[in-house]
Amino acid sequence: MTVDNRTTSAPAIHGHATAVAGAGTAQHLIHRPSARSYYALDAPSLGEEHFTLVGETPVSHPLLNDGPGHFHDPQIATGTVRDIGELVGHRYFGVPEDRPGLFYRFALDLTDLSAWRTDPSAARPVLMETRIRARPANVVAEVPRGLDFHLDVRIDGRPCAVGSAGMVFLMPKLYRKHVAHARQAMRAVPELDDAPDAPPRPAGAGEVSRYADANVVISEPTDASRGRLSTWVLSAQVSPVFDDPDGQFSGLHLLEALRQTSLLTAGRAHGLDPARSTLGACQVHFRGQAARDLPLRCVAVAGPLDRDADGRPTVPVTLTLTQQRWAVAEARTSVVQDY
């Protein structure tokens, strides 16, 4: 990732930096400071800042290019925003470098589904541009404890999605204490144990719109009745792209589990074709982290079959991720099938 500052002068704290882009391609982050901050580049921002994240869609990513490829994967947009969240806080808002950032909410709505369609006749990347507004939240002593983001996504210049996200920055000692306490609490109450009766069997790759078995991160449902599915999120024998050095389920892993469970639920409940379906909308609220060494359950409930404004079949899905019966995340998605 390249950080650029189109309207700035000599680089101070707003200099150039490079990092690995989560989508697998070079991404350029352009800071567009307002006029009032132009002459105070060395001072962390106390107000709204504007950025543009530009790059091409990947063509050989082991996850994002795996599957029927009817649509560009919306995880391209969510992944790049996850990549830059901490960078924006540390570099532009004066958050100390030792405070890790965690997203606790994320929402993305596809506003033009046709722009997300891939061109089957040309396996070429296309330009994706994400315009980002970042505002500090819960400011203490002029240092924000969090950031709020608003997203405007364009593919080949066409507005195609809007979204929002919230990030919190954690004190290192408090964060470690919180993680340790959560682990201890989950293991201290055996009556809350929640584990599969037998080793979970992966769901069929085709039913979750993937080809590679290693990219399947949910099990075949262990309970299915009246549009309700209960699955387990797989942590063993899955692709290395889901690894997390802290021993937690990564954000990519959790979002992919929610995506796959949504497609599986819409297909089982109402017959939507996963090869031509995507998440037209997704709102996720993370309530905690999940350890990879403990079972993680995902329960999904499908709503009634409906049609969008263009007559496409759509199915709302409500999902809950729990570990040892503690809530990890709650989500609402809308699965839409293309013509």
Side-chain angles (χ1 to χ4, degrees):
M1 181 186 297
T2 299
V3 179
D4 190 10
N5 301 278
R6 289 294 173 87
T7 61
T8 65
S9 53
I13 63 168
H14 299 289
H16 295 263
T18 58
V20 176
T25 58
Q27 303 286 314
H28 304 278
L29 180 65
I30 304 167
H31 179 214
R32 302 189 183 279
S34 60
R36 67 180 179 276
S37 64
Y38 184 87
Y39 298 102
L41 298 179
D42 290 324
S45 176
L46 297 177
E48 184 173 272
E49 295 293 332
H50 293 235
F51 304 86
T52 301
L53 187 61
V54 183
E56 293 182 332
T57 56
V59 295
S60 59
H61 191 278
L63 175 70
L64 304 178
N65 296 119
D66 177 47
H70 188 82
F71 294 108
H72 296 293
D73 195 323
Q75 288 243 53
I76 301 170
T78 61
T80 51
V81 172
R82 288 197 308 271
D83 285 343
I84 63 98
E86 277 191 358
L87 173 69
V88 167
H90 294 154
R91 174 164 297 206
Y92 299 99
F93 289 93
V95 178
E97 293 283 344
D98 64 347
R99 296 185 187 179
L102 291 177
F103 280 104
Y104 65 90
R105 62 176 176 86
F106 195 91
L108 187 70
D109 293 285
L110 307 192
T111 55
D112 182 357
L113 197 65
S114 63
W116 290 87
R117 294 192 191 106
T118 58
D119 183 356
S121 64
R124 63 177 182 85
V126 296
L127 189 68
M128 178 177 285
E129 173 186 338
T130 304
R131 300 180 181 182
I132 302 168
R133 300 199 312 267
R135 291 186 61 85
N138 191 19
V139 178
V140 178
E142 298 189 346
V143 176
R145 298 288 178 89
L147 292 177
D148 292 327
F149 297 91
H150 179 272
L151 318 174
D152 179 353
V153 184
R154 298 166 184 250
I155 295 179
D156 264 352
R158 298 169 59 183
C160 60
V162 294
S164 63
M167 169 175 270
V168 60
F169 291 93
L170 303 171
M171 300 289 193
K173 290 183 179 179
L174 183 62
Y175 172 61
R176 289 192 294 268
K177 183 177 179 180
H178 169 75
V179 171
H181 175 75
R183 284 176 172 269
Q184 182 181 6
M186 283 190 290
R187 289 171 168 81
V189 189
E191 59 267 27
L192 296 182
D193 284 350
D194 187 26
D197 296 328
R201 179 167 56 92
E207 285 196 278
V208 297
S209 194
R210 295 297 184 197
Y211 285 160
D213 291 339
N215 286 331
V216 177
V217 298
I218 62 170
S219 73
E220 179 68 19
T222 57
D223 180 30
S225 60
R226 298 187 179 184
R228 180 186 184 276
L229 294 181
S230 178
T231 70
W232 297 97
V233 181
L234 306 177
S235 59
Q237 298 182 331
V238 296
S239 171
V241 301
F242 300 111
D243 288 349
D244 186 287
D246 295 329
Q248 309 287 334
F249 279 96
S250 66
L252 176 66
H253 202 152
L254 296 180
L255 287 175
E256 180 63 14
L258 293 170
R259 187 197 72 85
Q260 292 187 13
T261 306
S262 296
L263 292 180
L264 183 66
T265 303
R268 295 280 180 97
H270 297 292
L272 268 63
D273 180 1
R276 293 188 294 130
S277 298
T278 189
L279 298 191
C282 180
Q283 298 88 38
V284 185
H285 187 94
F286 296 101
R287 297 194 174 277
Q289 292 182 283
R292 283 176 64 105
D293 60 350
L294 289 175
L296 179 63
R297 183 191 291 273
C298 185
V299 174
V301 179
L305 179 66
D306 201 354
R307 300 273 173 175
D308 68 7
D310 295 309
R312 301 184 186 92
T314 63
V315 175
V317 183
T318 302
L319 305 103
T320 305
L321 287 169
T322 58
Q323 190 165 67
Q324 303 293 85
R325 308 189 193 280
W326 293 59
V328 172
E330 298 168 341
R332 293 179 180 271
T333 65
S334 177
V335 180
V336 56
Q337 177 184 293
D338 204 9
Y339 300 123

